[in-house]
């Protein structure tokens, strides 16, 4: 029987969802404004639980930040209580969560400053001055952007801010203060006839000179510009060029402008870019994932992924001129992730792809949906990725011709039962989530799934997984957006794993 218990007028327990080995307690949190951004989670206080951070707008379109705390009631059941509510200044352009020496903080970027939200004072306080490519004094949109990264791998988050001519690092020390350093990484610049667009570059972080320290990497044509870390946890101001034996480009093919100012011709396209630099096989050497884009036209496009494993020769990092593994998903790849399902530090690769040939487009127009294929590639006994995927799953994407909007399937990897293995959660229609528990076998997941019935958002990216109550099991957090009924826009559904 479904029971409803209202918590402080905001929270109601809607019972238990049970199937197979999975049990969830479902709660509904109603906030007093429209939720517009991803739900964030952080240890902002000395509480035993993480706080829930909600950002949205009220009826006057004023941006708001609310913090909710998990608190046990007299029956030792957890309830969510709003502890902070504050208006977000219009000058704030983006936000992120930073790990400080004693706790986490919510930080916001304005055009020339970084602010933190001080819970004790319930106000925003100045943290550091910056020089960035963002010159707006008033932002139309507050971005959820990666402002912070543990650049030197010391357990404390740092800032890296792109300027018009260079990039500035703000490296945090154990006292929570920041040391400033400039490195010569310029932003991407896209020139048009009467304008120029500046964008941040993707930086990678790995040990390139094999000294045990994490370096900063900027991809350039045919190689890497590497900023080596020194003994003090800072970096070289100028780059050392690291040549690669394979041909790679610094820009994606759609960013290239030819002599006439047009994009590259997609007929007979063959183009390589770096997708990831990461130790995939747990040998303490950085490996490179290259995306190889090929097409015979707009409707005949394919992305292969080439894996180059790092090798140590004469205490130098080297790579082969030919890939050690070559992965291909059917259709057009729309997502690529490096994952570790069985928690053995030997990573798996997850690809999502769509088949968008002419016949599939006609079928999708008639049905209002198209199939998305999900593949998992695993390593063999020689620590090379298998040519064929070990696991294949399907989910459906929906779209509406009348509204011109498309839905997005739920595809999540998280440990929902606390056994140390990643479980796979997929959407099945508009009201069903299926969870395939991870297992230590070649097939990675159990064949039978747990079925959870819950109202899903049209956009599957609005479904998230996080261990909110810190019990070792990932919980499911759901919000809703503009494609959903407006009555849902102030609601957050939380499925607490039992």
């Amino acid at each position: 029987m479904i029971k409803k218990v209202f918590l402080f007028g905001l929270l109601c327990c809607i019972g238990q969802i049970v199937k197979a080995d999975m049990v969830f307690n479902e709660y509904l949190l109603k906030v007093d404004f429209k939720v517009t951004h991803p739900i964030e989670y952080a240890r902002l206080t000395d509480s035993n639980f993480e706080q829930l951070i909600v950002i949205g707008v009220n009826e006057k379109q004023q941006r708001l930040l609310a913090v909710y705390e998990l608190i046990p009631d007299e029956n030792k059941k957890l309830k969510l209580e709003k502890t902070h509510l504050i208006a977000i200044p219009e000058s704030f352009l983006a936000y992120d969560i930073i790990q400080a020496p004693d706790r986490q903080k919510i930080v916001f970027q304005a055009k020339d400053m970084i602010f933190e939200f001080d819970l004790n004072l319930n106000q925003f306080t100045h943290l550091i001055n910056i020089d960035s490519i963002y010159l707006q004094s008033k932002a139309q949109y507050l971005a959820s952007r990666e402002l912070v990264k543990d650049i030197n791998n010391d357990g404390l988050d740092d800032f890296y801010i792109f300027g018009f001519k260079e990039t500035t690092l703000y490296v945090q020390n154990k006292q929570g203060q920041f040391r400033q350093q400039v490195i010569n990484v310029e932003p991407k610049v896209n020139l048009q006839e009467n304008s120029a667009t500046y964008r941040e570059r993707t930086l990678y972080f790995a040990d390139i000179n094999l000294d045990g320290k994490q370096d900063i990497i900027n991809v350039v044509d045919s190689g890497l510009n590497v900023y080596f870390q020194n003994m003090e946890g800072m970096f070289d101001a100028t780059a050392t060029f690291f040549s690669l034996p394979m041909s790679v480009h610094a820009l994606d093919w759609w960013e290239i402008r030819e002599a006439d100012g047009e994009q590259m011709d997609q007929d007979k396209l063959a183009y390589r870019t770096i997708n990831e630099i990461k130790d995939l096989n747990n040998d303490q050497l950085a490996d490179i994932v290259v995306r190889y884009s090929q097409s015979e036209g707009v409707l005949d496009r394919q992305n292969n992924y080439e894996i180059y494993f790092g090798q140590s020769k004469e205490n130098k990092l080297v790579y082969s001129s030919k890939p050690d593994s070559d992965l291909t998903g059917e259709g057009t790849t729309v997502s690529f992730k490096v994952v570790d399902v069985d928690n053995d530090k030997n990573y798996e690769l997850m690809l999502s792809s769509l088949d968008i040939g002419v016949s599939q487009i006609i079928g999708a127009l008639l049905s209002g949906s198209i199939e998305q294929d999900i593949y998992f590639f695993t390593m063999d006994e020689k620590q090379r990725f298998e040519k064929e995927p070990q696991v294949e799953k399907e989910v459906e994407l929906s779209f509406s011709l009348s509204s011109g909007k498309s839905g997005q399937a739920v595809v999540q990897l998280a440990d929902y039962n606390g056994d140390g293995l990643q479980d796979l959660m997929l959407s099945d229609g508009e009201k069903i989530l299926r969870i395939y528990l991870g297992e230590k076998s070649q097939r990675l997941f159990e064949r039978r799934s747990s079925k959870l019935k819950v109202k899903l958002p049209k956009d599957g990216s609005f479904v998230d997984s996080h261990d909110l109550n810190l019990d070792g099991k990932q919980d499911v957090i759901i919000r809703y957006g503009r494609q959903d009924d407006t009555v849902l826009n102030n609601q957050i559904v939380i499925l607490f794993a039992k």
Side-chain angles (χ1 to χ4, degrees):
M1 179 178 294
I2 296 178
K3 298 180 180 180
K4 294 184 178 180
V5 180
F6 290 93
L7 304 173
F8 285 90
L10 296 175
L11 189 66
C12 61
C13 175
I14 311 181
Q16 290 185 343
I17 303 172
V18 185
K19 178 68 177 180
D21 300 322
M22 296 303 303
V23 180
F24 287 84
N25 283 336
E26 181 180 332
Y27 294 94
L28 174 65
L29 173 64
K30 290 186 178 181
V31 301
D32 47 8
F33 53 84
K34 178 181 177 181
V35 181
T36 57
H37 285 64
I39 308 302
E40 303 286 350
Y41 329 92
R43 291 289 297 274
L44 303 173
T45 68
D46 295 331
S47 169
N48 292 327
F49 307 109
E50 292 197 349
Q51 285 74 44
L52 195 75
I53 302 163
V54 184
I55 293 176
V57 295
N58 59 18
E59 294 179 352
K60 298 180 179 179
Q61 296 303 303
Q62 183 182 34
R63 301 187 301 188
L64 299 173
L65 166 69
V67 178
Y68 289 86
E69 183 91 32
L70 275 172
I71 300 175
D73 64 12
E74 60 275 7
N75 298 317
K76 296 185 178 180
K77 292 183 178 181
L78 293 176
K79 59 186 180 182
L80 276 169
E81 184 177 272
K82 183 171 63 181
T83 58
H84 296 82
L85 178 66
I86 189 172
I88 301 173
E90 293 182 340
S91 60
F92 287 1
L93 311 176
Y95 69 95
D96 202 354
I97 306 295
I98 188 171
Q99 179 64 56
D102 55 343
R103 56 187 172 86
Q104 292 178 298
K105 299 178 180 180
I106 316 172
V107 293
F108 291 82
Q109 178 185 350
K111 70 174 185 178
D112 53 5
M113 296 182 188
I114 298 288
F115 293 84
E116 66 171 286
F117 177 53
D118 190 317
L119 273 71
N120 294 325
L121 300 176
N122 197 41
Q123 67 183 34
F124 300 102
T125 60
H126 171 264
L127 189 60
I128 57 174
N129 294 325
I130 62 171
D131 181 15
S132 79
I133 60 175
Y134 303 98
L135 300 181
Q136 296 166 282
S137 298
K138 179 180 178 181
Q140 293 180 335
Y141 169 69
L142 180 68
S144 175
R145 185 185 304 140
E146 184 182 271
L147 303 175
V148 301
K149 172 78 178 182
D150 185 2
I151 299 173
N152 56 5
N153 202 27
D154 65 352
L156 298 173
D157 284 332
D158 316 296
F159 294 97
Y160 59 99
I161 305 296
F162 283 86
F164 288 103
K165 296 181 179 179
E166 56 201 11
T167 298
T168 305
L169 311 178
Y170 300 86
V171 181
Q172 188 175 190
N173 61 24
K174 294 180 180 180
Q175 290 73 44
Q177 299 171 333
F178 294 88
R179 293 176 291 170
Q180 181 175 333
Q181 180 187 356
V182 172
I183 59 176
N184 62 342
V185 179
E186 298 178 347
K188 291 182 179 180
V189 184
N190 183 14
L191 293 176
Q192 302 292 337
E193 290 187 9
N194 57 359
S195 67
T197 302
Y198 291 78
R199 295 191 296 121
E200 297 181 359
R201 290 187 181 273
T202 299
L203 298 181
Y204 298 93
F205 304 88
D207 180 12
I208 299 300
N209 59 351
L210 305 185
D211 65 350
K213 298 180 180 61
Q214 182 170 273
D215 308 310
I216 300 174
I217 305 163
N218 176 34
V219 177
V220 294
D221 289 339
S222 300
L224 313 173
N225 274 346
V226 184
Y227 301 82
F228 294 120
Q229 185 181 161
N230 60 32
M231 296 297 294
E232 288 74 39
M234 304 302 283
F235 298 85
D236 292 346
T238 57
T240 299
F241 179 71
F242 184 90
S243 179
L244 293 175
M246 75 291 289
S247 176
V248 296
H249 298 272
L251 300 177
D252 288 307
W253 63 263
W254 58 86
E255 298 176 304
I256 299 294
R257 291 293 182 270
E258 297 188 332
D260 58 0
E262 298 295 327
Q263 285 185 333
M264 292 181 64
D265 192 344
Q266 295 182 47
D267 186 31
K268 304 296 184 181
L269 175 70
Y271 199 84
R272 284 180 171 86
T273 53
I274 289 181
N275 188 271
E276 184 68 79
I277 302 177
K278 186 181 182 69
D279 179 12
L280 300 177
N281 56 356
N282 198 30
D283 63 356
Q284 314 308 312
L285 299 173
D287 309 311
I288 297 178
V289 180
V290 171
R291 183 176 70 241
Y292 179 34
S293 300
Q294 307 172 77
S295 73
E296 298 289 338
V298 176
L299 294 180
D300 187 11
R301 184 181 304 154
Q302 189 176 57
N303 290 326
N304 293 2
Y305 287 86
E306 301 173 340
I307 315 300
Y308 298 82
F309 286 102
Q311 305 171 53
S312 177
K313 291 186 177 180
E314 298 179 357
N315 202 32
K316 292 184 178 181
L317 183 64
V318 297
Y319 297 92
S320 172
S321 59
K322 296 182 179 180
D324 299 292
S325 299
D326 189 357
L327 312 182
T328 303
E330 296 294 329
T332 299
T333 303
V334 294
S335 175
F336 174 91
K337 291 183 179 179
V338 178
V339 299
D340 187 6
V341 175
D342 50 7
N343 201 27
D344 64 352
K345 302 302 182 182
N346 284 326
Y347 287 89
E348 292 79 40
L349 303 178
M350 183 175 75
L351 272 67
S352 298
S353 66
L354 300 175
D355 193 344
I356 56 172
V358 174
S359 61
Q360 286 75 23
I361 291 176
I362 294 174
L365 292 174
L366 294 174
S367 64
S369 64
I370 188 170
E371 291 180 350
Q372 177 179 341
D373 298 311
I374 301 167
Y375 305 99
F376 287 86
F377 293 86
T378 60
M379 290 188 192
D380 59 20
E381 64 277 0
K382 296 180 180 179
Q383 289 195 317
R384 294 297 183 265
F385 285 98
E386 302 276 7
K387 186 74 174 179
E388 299 296 326
Q390 193 68 39
V391 178
E392 297 183 36
K393 297 289 183 182
E394 273 187 3
V395 290
E396 282 193 350
L397 302 179
S398 62
F399 61 89
S400 170
L401 287 176
S402 59
S403 65
K405 297 176 181 177
S406 62
Q408 184 173 328
V410 177
V411 181
Q412 288 272 316
L413 275 175
D415 181 10
Y416 297 106
N417 62 352
D419 64 353
L421 303 177
Q422 297 289 296
D423 312 311
L424 177 62
M425 181 170 67
L426 303 175
S427 54
D428 182 0
E430 298 180 351
K431 296 183 179 179
I432 299 295
L433 288 172
R434 293 188 179 275
I435 295 180
Y436 298 84
L437 294 177
E439 63 177 26
K440 280 190 172 296
S441 71
Q442 286 191 337
R443 68 169 180 250
L444 297 179
F445 307 102
E446 292 184 359
R447 290 191 175 93
R448 188 169 56 111
S449 67
S450 302
K451 187 171 73 172
L452 314 180
K453 188 174 182 180
V454 64
K455 176 65 176 176
L456 296 176
K458 292 290 193 302
D459 188 339
S461 67
F462 289 5
V463 178
D464 196 12
S465 300
H466 192 80
D467 184 8
L468 190 59
N469 55 2
L470 302 181
D471 65 352
K473 301 176 183 179
Q474 296 283 301
D475 311 305
V476 182
I477 299 93
I478 302 172
R479 68 182 179 98
Y480 302 92
R482 62 171 60 201
Q483 296 187 58
D484 304 299
D485 294 338
T486 55
V487 70
L488 301 173
N489 287 345
N490 71 328
Q491 298 184 15
I492 300 170
V493 174
I494 304 173
L495 307 178
F496 286 105
K498 287 194 65 177

